[in-house]
Amino acid sequence: MRRAFTGHGASRGSALGHARVRLPFLFEVSEQHIAEADIATELARLHAAIQDVRAELHAARERLHGALAHEVGEFLDLHALLLDDPELLQGLDALIRDSRYSADYALRLQRDRLAAVFAAMDDDYFRSRSEDVDQVIGRLHAALHRGEPHAGGVAGEILVTDTVAPAELVQLQSQGVLAIVTTGGSMLSHAAILARSLHIPLVVGAGEVLQHVNDGDVLVVDGARGRVVVSPDATDLREYRTRRRDEQRERRQLHRLRREPTRTLDGVDIRLYANAESRADVAEAHALGAAGLGLYRTEYLFLRGAVAPDEDTQFRAYRDAVLGMTGRTVTIRTLDLGADKADRGGLTLPHEPNPALGCRGVRLSLARADIFAVQMRALLRASGYGPLRILVPMVATREEMLEVAALLHRTRKALRAEGHHVADEVPLGAMIEVPAAALALPALADTVDFVSIGTNDLVQYLLAADRNNDALEALQSPLHPAVLRVLREVIRTCRACGLPVAVCGEMAGDPLFVPLLLALGLEEFSLHPTTLLEVRQAIRACDLGALRRRAGALMRARDRAAIEHWMQRAASTP
Ligand code: PEP
Ligand code: MG
């Protein structure tokens, strides 16, 4: 019988296909024993599944690029660590060998035991990690049953479930999931933002859908309007086909925007720079008509191997980014290791009591003058090949910028004395992500040539909410009056001082935030190429004058709901 459900459209796109229902993690496996003679086979089956999952996690990690590598990679790394945990592995072997349980039942027992251990922890962060245990066990369970009918992947199906984790989305996409419907979740959650980058249609908050949809039911999903229809009738199917045609037309139009200017309805040009970490990102940014690179994260060069890359290796990477952008400005950020971006070479301090507030970013670079000097040499050598700017992360004080500027001048002199070509102009910029730097920007202004606002960290420090703690998701949003106030002030100060200012946090890559950022006075965005055309399209649909006239109302919004209400109105009336 036809039934329709309404949730929130979190990622556009339509799908027609069979439902694959995944109930909230119950892992209902009843007690199963195996014969003595089957122990070796069962152990081998389990170990093959573990190997498969290890390879799966590794492959998923390799496929990640750009912002995804940063955001999702840490989940995958954590899952790989859990998978190699001797507690988990030996426990499973013992249950199969000594108690003669099936691998499935052993998994269930281990899962329940670990879930109880996590649940008993005082720390919210560790308690929330039990979800990761569920996901690792879930992957193992799927690997044990791969090849059986209707097990494993979700190729060509629509996943219906309670929630979906960001780390899972990449894998679901590579398996070929058509769309996802969840009963929980929010439009501004990490998973929703990621689904939009991955172009997976997603409906969140579809309340009762799990009670009424069964495996194999035919569904139509409308990810824009947040609608799900079970057992669609002829009218639904007609509507679906029309929508698909419209979406395809839209995609073609989006593609055409590659060569169009990023200009508002009232004729103001906005600059869209790209965030990049790899050659592929640089090529994509160039092809999509990015104004340049606004944030090239160099720490990924340092995360790959066990030792810091030498001067020539770094020089080649920076030079290639400059060459790849054929004369457009390339902004390369100095090393931002520390906190969640711990390296393998031991540059970061081990066991920091509070890594997010520890020796990271420019603090680490200044503490490790040997490493920083090599990076500065490589950067300045690359400046001989095209316009290059240097961006300094995690700046908190004027002294830090002065120290970096002094190093830049010394290094330029030394390189020229050695016969290297170094550009005369290498603008030096500061990331504004520490609230102190944002508030004291007028005192910093004469030490920088440009500014880039890192909203990912700025939000975490303003709201005192660790950006890696899932339990604080509601607080990890830029939709807070304090964040808007700081953004507006930083942008105003930069304009008053004649400093170019961009936002390069994830916020800049989400078309939903475009009217809000424009209203706050922003004219430069730096974002991952995956959403560049969508952001360009959103900008082209905005009337900048009208948005700026509404800025007062935005600044008066007292909470997230009021800000969201402003955003909705801005989106419906350009
Ligand atoms: C930010 O903090 O917004 C930012 C762009 O830097 P990262 O995400 O690399 O910390
Ligand atoms: Mg940052």
Side-chain angles (χ1 to χ4, degrees), residues 385-402:
Y385 291 78
L388 182 146
R389 306 193 299 181
I390 296 177
L391 180 59
V392 185
M394 293 296 298
V395 174
T397 68
R398 177 179 170 82
E399 291 84 337
E400 286 164 347
M401 280 316 295
L402 291 176

Side-chain angles (χ1 to χ4, degrees), residues 194-309:
L194 202 56
R196 289 193 282 277
S197 316
L198 296 171
H199 304 290
I200 305 175
L202 171 67
V203 173
V204 297
E208 297 184 345
V209 77
L210 274 175
Q211 281 105 292
H212 300 283
V213 175
N214 296 307
D215 258 352
D217 281 352
V218 173
L219 303 186
V220 170
V221 174
D222 176 352
R225 290 189 300 161
R227 290 192 23 104
V228 181
V229 179
V230 189
S231 306
D233 59 21
T235 315
D236 296 317
L237 292 173
R238 252 195 317 276
E239 277 176 13
Y240 163 77
R241 275 194 293 276
T242 313
R243 229 177 17 252
R244 287 285 289 186
R245 268 199 301 275
D246 291 348
E247 284 166 7
Q248 272 155 11
R249 203 178 41 240
E250 243 177 64
R251 259 202 300 280
R252 280 197 299 275
Q253 271 163 2
L254 210 51
H255 204 58
R256 272 192 227 125
L257 289 183
R258 276 175 314 151
R259 301 195 204 298
E260 294 300 322
T262 311
R263 187 168 296 152
T264 62
L265 285 176
D266 46 345
V268 180
D269 282 321
I270 303 295
R271 278 172 301 287
L272 286 191
Y273 291 89
N275 292 354
E277 284 113 39
S278 66
R279 270 167 183 264
D281 290 344
V282 175
E284 199 181 347
H286 189 272
L288 297 178
L293 298 186
L295 170 65
Y296 181 96
R297 289 179 165 102
T298 58
E299 48 280 8
Y300 295 100
L301 286 170
F302 289 71
L303 294 174
R304 283 182 204 148
V307 288

